[in-house]
Amino acid sequence: MGLFSYLGREFFYLKELLRVTREVGWIKPDSETLTPDHLEDIVDRHSGLPVFITETGDISYAEYDAYANRVAHWALGQGLKPGDTVALFLTNRWEYIALWYGLSKVGVVSALVNYQLRGASLAHCLSISGASTVILEDELKDAFDSACDEIGCEMAPWYLDRTAAPEGAGDFDEAIAGQPADRPSREHRAHLRARDACLKMYTSGTTGMPKAAPLAHTRVMYYLNIFSAGCNAGPGDRMFMVLPLYHSTGGLCGVGCAISRGGALIVRKKFSASLFWDEVQRYRATLFMYVGELCRFLLSTPPNPAEDDHDIRCIIGNGLRPDIWVEFQKRFAIPRIMEFYGATEGNVGLVNLDSRPGAIGRIPPWLEWRFNVALAAFDYETEQPVRGPDGFCRKAEPGEVGEAIGRIDPNDTRFRFEGYQNKEETAKKILRDVFETGDAWFRTGDLMKRDKAGYFYFVDRVGDTFRWRSENVSTNEVAEAIGRFPGVQQANVYGVEVQGYPGRAGMAALVVAPDFDLAGLRAHIHEALPAYARPVFIRLQQETDTTGTFKFRKVDLVKQGYDPKTVKDPLWFDDDEKGYIALKPALFTAINDGTKRL
C-alpha cells in the first residue's frame, strides 16, 4: 500500500470512529436517561413520520408512542412494578417493539423469548425469565401449551389477535383498547439508572440450553445508536427487517438503524429468499440486516430482475463468510457491507467500516489504547488461553490465532459485562489475572486472528476447532473451502470421535443442489485443503438445523456421528483408493474394529 493510500485509510478510520464515538458518548451507567426517555425524545422529533411500514399501512412515531403508553398503563393496572418481568412470546410484528418500549416506561423488564421454541427448551426459557406474565400470539398457543405441560406453567397468559381468549387467559387487545394514550408519569421509573436492566435476551443455544442475559439501559441504547451512526442513517432510510426481533442483531441493532434517526422499519414476519428482492424493491428499502447464512441463501436463488433495481445502499450484520463476500456484493450491487462482531451479553465489539472482504472489524494499531479487545494465545488441548511461567497470558502475534477477550470495566458503557442470571455461568465467562494482577476479561469463546494493519478475522468457535492427525482443524475454514464448490448451498462442519483414533475426524453435513457432482467436490476438497483438514465423512441433508438467527446447530449432529443405523441421511466415506463410497453398516463396523483404516 502506497503512502497516500495508507494515510487516506487511516484518516477515514479516525474520522469515522470519532463520529461514531460522539454518537454514543452520552450513554453513561449512572445517567438518569433511560431507554424510554431516549425513545420519547426521538418520537417528539419525528412524530408525524412513519416509523413502521407494514402490509396494511404505515404506523407513525406518534401512533407507536400512543400504543406503548397504553401498554404502560395496562402494566400499572396489572400491579406490575419496576423490576418485574413480562415475557414476550411473539413473531415479528411492529407491536413487538412497542410492547417492550411501553413496559420500559414503567420500569418493567421484557424477556424476549424465541418464538421458534417448543416443549422443554421453551419451558426452560420461560422458567429462567422470572416472568409472572406472558404476552403471546394466538398462533403460538400450542407451543406455549407444550411448555406448560413440561413445567406446570403458572404464568398469566395474555393473547394478541384472539376473538375469544382461552379460559383463564386475558385478551390483550381488548385490555389495552380502553387504556389512556398519554404518557405515564416518569415517577414510575425515576429511581432507576441506566445501569439497571431494561430487557432480558437469550444466548442462541447452539451448544446447549439458552442462557438469559439481562441487558442494561446502557447496552440497549448503545445498540440502538451505534449502527445508525456507523451507516449514517437518516429520516429517508428504510430498514428491511427479516431477522427475529427477539435477538439483539435484528431487534436492537437493526431497529435502531431505523428509529434512532427518524427512519422507518419494514417489519417482515420471516425471511423468504425467493421473495426477498421483490419486497426490498416494493417497499423501497435502503438498508437491511443480515446474519449467518442469510446471504448464502440469497446467493443460491435464481436471478431476479428486482435484484438489479433496488435502493439498498448499505447492509449491516455478521457472519458473511469470505468465500461468498465478493460474489455476493458484486451480484447484488451492494455499495457498502458493514460487517460487525459482537455478542448480546458480551463487551467485545468490532466493526468493519471500509467493507474489507472477510474482515469482522478493525482496530488500527495506533488506536489500540481506545479499545478493550485483545487476542490471547490459545492452547487447543486445554481450550484455555496459554499462561506463561509468570502466570500471565500472552497476547497473540499478528497472524497467530488467539481467543478474543474483552477487558471488563464497569465504569465504561462499552466495556461492562452484566453477566447472566446464573452466577455460575457468569463466572465461567470471566478470565482473571490475565495480563496483570487483579484484571478481569470477558471470554468470547471465539478464535480470531489479526493482521498487521489491525483487521480481525473470525477463525472458529472454541470447541468447534478439533484435533486430527496432531493438527488443529478449524471448522469454519473447512466450511468456507467447501462452500466455494458450485452447488454447495450450506456446509456445516464438525468433528466426530472414531474408535481407536486420538482426536476427532472431520465430518461435513451438506445441503446441495440437484445433480450435485460429489466426485467433483472431493477433487476440490483435496486440492483446497491439507490432508488432516479434509472431512473423512460426508452427510447429505435436505436442510440444516439452525437457530432463529441462522447459526448452525452441531450438538445433535456430533452425537449422531456417522452411524448409518442412526443417521437416515445419505452418508459417504472418503476412501483413499476409491474416493467417496457409501457408508453402510458393514463399512461402519470395519472402521470401528480397525479393519478399515482412516
Side-chain angles (χ1 to χ4, degrees):
M1 177 180 284
L3 176 62
F4 289 108
S5 296
Y6 169 79
L7 291 175
R9 182 187 66 186
E10 302 311 292
F11 176 74
F12 167 80
Y13 257 87
L14 178 61
K15 176 174 63 72
E16 289 298 296
L17 287 172
L18 287 174
R19 184 173 61 80
V20 171
T21 301
R22 283 196 300 269
E23 290 287 336
V24 295
W26 56 272
I27 303 172
K28 304 293 184 183
D30 295 327
S31 173
E32 295 183 3
T33 300
L34 309 180
T35 305
D37 300 307
H38 175 52
L39 292 176
E40 286 181 349
D41 179 62
I42 292 169
V43 167
D44 292 341
R45 285 186 279 122
H46 305 288
S47 61
L49 295 178
V51 62
F52 301 116
I53 298 171
T54 73
E55 289 183 342
T56 56
D58 296 350
I59 307 297
S60 71
Y61 277 85
E63 291 170 322
Y64 157 57
D65 190 54
Y67 186 94
N69 293 334
R70 293 187 179 98
V71 172
H73 287 293
W74 167 85
L76 293 174
Q78 295 300 307
L80 292 167
K81 304 179 298 299
D84 288 346
T85 300
V86 171
L88 303 186
F89 188 46
L90 307 157
T91 59
N92 276 18
R93 53 193 298 159
W94 75 266
E95 293 96 336
Y96 196 106
I97 302 157
L99 282 166
W100 66 252
Y101 169 36
L103 292 170
S104 74
K105 286 173 179 265
V106 291
V108 176
V109 177
S110 298
L112 311 186
V113 181
N114 181 347
Y115 62 77
Q116 301 182 76
L117 298 180
R118 302 290 184 273
S121 55
L122 175 58
H124 167 78
C125 288
L126 292 174
S127 295
I128 65 174
S129 73
S132 59
T133 303
V134 58
I135 301 173
L136 69 154
E137 290 174 337
D138 179 40
E139 67 179 82
L140 297 175
K141 179 182 182 301
D142 290 343
F144 178 67
D145 289 345
S146 73
C148 289
D149 291 340
E150 294 276 345
I151 58 175
C153 192
E154 297 181 356
M155 285 185 172
W158 286 81
Y159 281 87
L160 276 75
D161 303 333
R162 281 193 75 78
T163 54
E167 184 177 351
D171 186 324
F172 190 78
D173 296 315
E174 181 180 333
I176 67 167
Q179 298 292 339
D182 59 310
R183 290 173 179 170
S185 170
R186 197 187 178 283
E187 289 300 312
H188 296 291
R189 60 180 187 269
H191 65 289
L192 298 175
R193 295 296 178 266
R195 73 171 74 88
D196 294 315
C198 175
L199 300 173
K200 291 178 184 176
M201 287 188 169
Y202 295 82
T203 58
S204 59
T206 53
T207 57
M209 285 293 193
K211 299 185 287 289
L215 264 64
H217 289 273
T218 50
R219 183 63 59 91
V220 173
M221 291 188 288
Y222 189 82
Y223 284 160
L224 288 174
N225 287 275
I226 190 69
F227 294 101
S228 62
C231 70
N232 205 18
D237 277 309
R238 294 183 167 205
M239 166 63 72
F240 190 70
M241 180 53 60
V242 295
L243 300 184
L245 295 176
Y246 59 73
H247 192 267
S248 59
T249 301
L252 292 178
C253 302
V255 167
C257 277
I259 69 176
S260 290
R261 293 188 167 194
L265 191 75
I266 304 162
V267 183
R268 307 304 295 143
K269 196 176 183 74
K270 59 183 179 180
F271 168 68
S272 169
S274 61
L275 297 176
F276 187 88
W277 290 109
D278 290 321
E279 293 186 332
V280 163
Q281 184 188 69
R282 173 187 170 190
Y283 292 108
R284 306 193 313 281
T286 61
L287 308 166
F288 75 77
M289 299 292 293
Y290 66 86
V291 70
E293 292 293 286
L294 184 149
C295 294
R296 189 180 296 277
F297 295 150
L298 291 175
L299 202 55
S300 67
T301 59
N304 180 339
E307 72 187 46
D308 299 319
D309 184 22
H310 62 75
D311 297 322
I312 296 293
R313 64 175 185 83
C314 179
I315 65 173
I316 306 128
N318 50 53
L320 180 54
R321 287 180 173 174
D323 59 307
I324 67 166
W325 183 305
V326 175
E327 184 183 359
F328 183 87
Q329 188 167 20
K330 181 179 179 181
R331 172 178 165 179
F332 299 118
I334 306 295
R336 185 182 181 193
I337 296 176
M338 197 162 76
E339 174 88 2
F340 71 90
Y341 169 84
T344 298
E345 76 282 17
N347 71 344
V348 172
L350 297 165
V351 182
N352 180 348
L353 292 171
D354 60 353
S355 297
R356 186 179 183 113
I360 59 174
R362 181 179 182 233
I363 300 176
W366 46 271
L367 267 181
E368 285 185 13
W369 63 278
R370 289 279 296 167
F371 292 83
N372 71 327
V373 185
L375 300 185
F378 191 74
D379 185 334
Y380 288 90
E381 296 292 339
T382 63
E383 295 191 347
Q384 294 288 330
V386 175
R387 299 253 183 195
D390 60 0
F392 295 122
C393 298
R394 174 178 65 81
K395 291 185 179 180
E397 298 295 329
E400 180 185 5
V401 175
E403 181 180 356
I405 57 176
R407 178 173 50 81
I408 298 171
D409 182 350
N411 297 315
D412 191 312
T413 300
R414 300 170 299 163
F415 306 153
R416 291 169 62 87
F417 173 53
E418 279 87 17
Y420 311 104
Q421 292 191 169
N422 185 307
K423 292 183 178 180
E424 292 181 1
E425 294 290 350
T426 299
K428 291 178 184 177
K429 297 294 284 186
I430 299 177
L431 201 62
R432 300 188 183 278
D433 300 324
V434 180
F435 301 119
E436 60 185 26
T437 302
D439 64 356
W441 294 69
F442 169 76
R443 292 192 66 182
T444 66
D446 289 324
L447 301 176
M448 301 179 190
K449 57 185 177 182
R450 180 187 57 185
D451 64 21
K452 291 182 178 180
Y455 288 97
F456 286 73
Y457 300 87
F458 180 81
V459 174
D460 219 340
R461 287 285 297 167
V462 171
D464 283 353
T465 294
F466 57 89
R467 297 277 288 178
W468 181 243
R469 296 184 179 176
S470 301
E471 298 284 354
N472 299 318
V473 181
S474 165
T475 62
N476 194 58
E477 291 181 356
V478 174
E480 287 177 9
I482 293 174
R484 287 193 287 268
F485 186 73
V488 175
Q489 297 174 349
Q490 297 173 52
N492 192 1
V493 178
Y494 47 98
V496 292
E497 293 184 354
V498 180
Q499 188 171 316
Y501 292 85
R504 288 182 285 163
M507 187 165 183
L510 308 179
V511 176
V512 299
D515 303 322
F516 182 71
D517 183 4
L518 194 61
L521 172 67
R522 183 176 186 271
H524 167 78
I525 287 175
H526 278 244
E527 181 180 352
L529 295 169
Y532 65 84
R534 298 167 190 160
V536 177
F537 307 103
I538 299 292
R539 175 175 177 171
L540 298 181
Q541 296 182 292
Q542 293 298 313
E543 60 182 12
T544 53
D545 186 18
T546 62
T547 68
T549 52
F550 304 100
K551 294 179 181 177
F552 289 132
R553 300 185 196 274
K554 300 187 181 186
V555 175
D556 290 339
L557 293 176
V558 172
K559 287 181 180 178
Q560 293 164 10
Y562 56 97
D563 186 349
K565 293 181 180 179
T566 303
V567 179
K568 303 308 177 185
D569 297 320
L571 295 173
W572 300 87
F573 169 71
D574 190 356
D575 184 270
D576 288 339
E577 298 178 356
K578 301 177 182 178
Y580 287 143
I581 57 177
L583 181 51
K584 302 297 183 181
L587 178 56
F588 174 80
T589 300
I591 291 171
N592 283 277
D593 66 17
T595 305
K596 181 65 179 179
R597 300 296 295 172
L598 303 189

